[in-house]
């Protein structure tokens, strides 16, 4: 038998369960920051085209620059040759040993510490150069994954997918994963701001669906 608490919990989440689904690639105000939009013009930015009903860049070719092994970004100075080992950061105090929320909830069924849970307008914020370089690396990864999903769908026909044992349902799952990558890139771009890395050209060696 359902208790009053269980009924209250079910009613609390019911609006989210039965609400109409949001449009794909639509992100609310919680993902926005004040930043200049990225430019999509210039010879180094791929123009998106539609092939086989899917979007992909117009060109996938080899890299012509000079890659480095230690990274091209350097700070104004380097303060030491190495970093000494220190004890844990004393400000990192949260550790959950209970398996349930341990802090007061700002609203019913709302764990403390989440995005916008203190009533203020949320804003993503990086705290150091390490944060920026780490998130930028993640964005490069998400860009290539997004392009790879779209390129595979645009490069091969539905008949070629079928010949590899992958029907239209599998193709829709690949497109779904591409939509997820759109969400990830939006998140990371909002964290980095107007200087977030842009999508570039990529060269994939595969020539078949299975590859």
């Amino acid at each position: 038998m359902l208790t009053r608490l269980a009924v209250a919990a079910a009613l609390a989440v019911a609006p989210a369960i039965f609400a109409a689904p949001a449009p794909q690639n639509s992100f609310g105000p919680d993902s926005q920051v004040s930043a200049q939009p990225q430019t999509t013009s210039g010879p180094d930015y791929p123009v998106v085209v539609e092939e086989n009903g899917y979007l992909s860049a117009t060109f996938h070719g080899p890299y012509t620059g000079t890659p480095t092994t230690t990274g091209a970004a350097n700070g104004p100075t380097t303060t030491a040759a190495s970093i000494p080992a220190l004890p844990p950061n004393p400000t990192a105090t949260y550790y959950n040993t209970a398996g349930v929320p341990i802090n007061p909830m700002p609203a019913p069924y709302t764990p403390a510490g989440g995005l916008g849970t203190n009533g203020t307008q949320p804003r993503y914020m990086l705290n150091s150069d390490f944060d920026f370089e780490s998130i930028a690396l993640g964005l490069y990864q998400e860009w290539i994954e997004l392009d790879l999903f779209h390129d595979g769908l645009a490069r091969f026909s539905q008949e070629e997918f079928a010949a590899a044992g992958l029907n239209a349902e599998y193709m829709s799952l690949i497109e779904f994963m591409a939509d997820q990558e759109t969400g990830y890139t939006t998140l990371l771009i909002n964290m980095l701001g107007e200087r977030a890395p842009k999508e570039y050209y990529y060269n994939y060696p595969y020539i078949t669906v299975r590859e």
Side-chain angles (χ1 to χ4, degrees), residues 11-141:
L11 290 176
V13 300
I17 296 175
F18 297 109
Q24 287 186 339
N25 302 341
S26 175
F27 303 94
D30 286 354
S31 69
Q32 305 303 313
V33 296
S34 298
Q36 298 177 4
Q38 294 188 105
T39 176
T40 57
S41 62
D44 63 338
Y45 199 89
V47 180
V48 175
V49 295
E50 187 169 338
E51 297 287 345
N52 299 327
Y54 296 97
L55 296 177
S56 183
T58 56
F59 172 77
H60 291 83
Y63 178 65
T64 57
T66 303
T68 64
T69 57
T70 58
N74 289 312
T77 60
T78 301
T79 58
S82 62
I83 301 174
L86 298 174
N89 189 336
T91 63
T93 57
Y94 177 83
Y95 184 73
N96 192 323
T97 59
V100 295
I102 59 177
N103 294 309
M105 287 189 173
Y109 314 107
T110 305
L115 194 63
T117 54
N118 63 354
T120 61
Q121 181 178 355
R123 184 180 189 278
Y124 293 108
M125 179 66 70
L126 303 178
N127 294 318
S128 67
D129 287 345
F130 188 90
D131 291 348
F132 188 93
E133 294 298 317
S134 299
I135 298 300
L137 177 62
L139 179 57
Y140 280 120
Q141 174 76 18

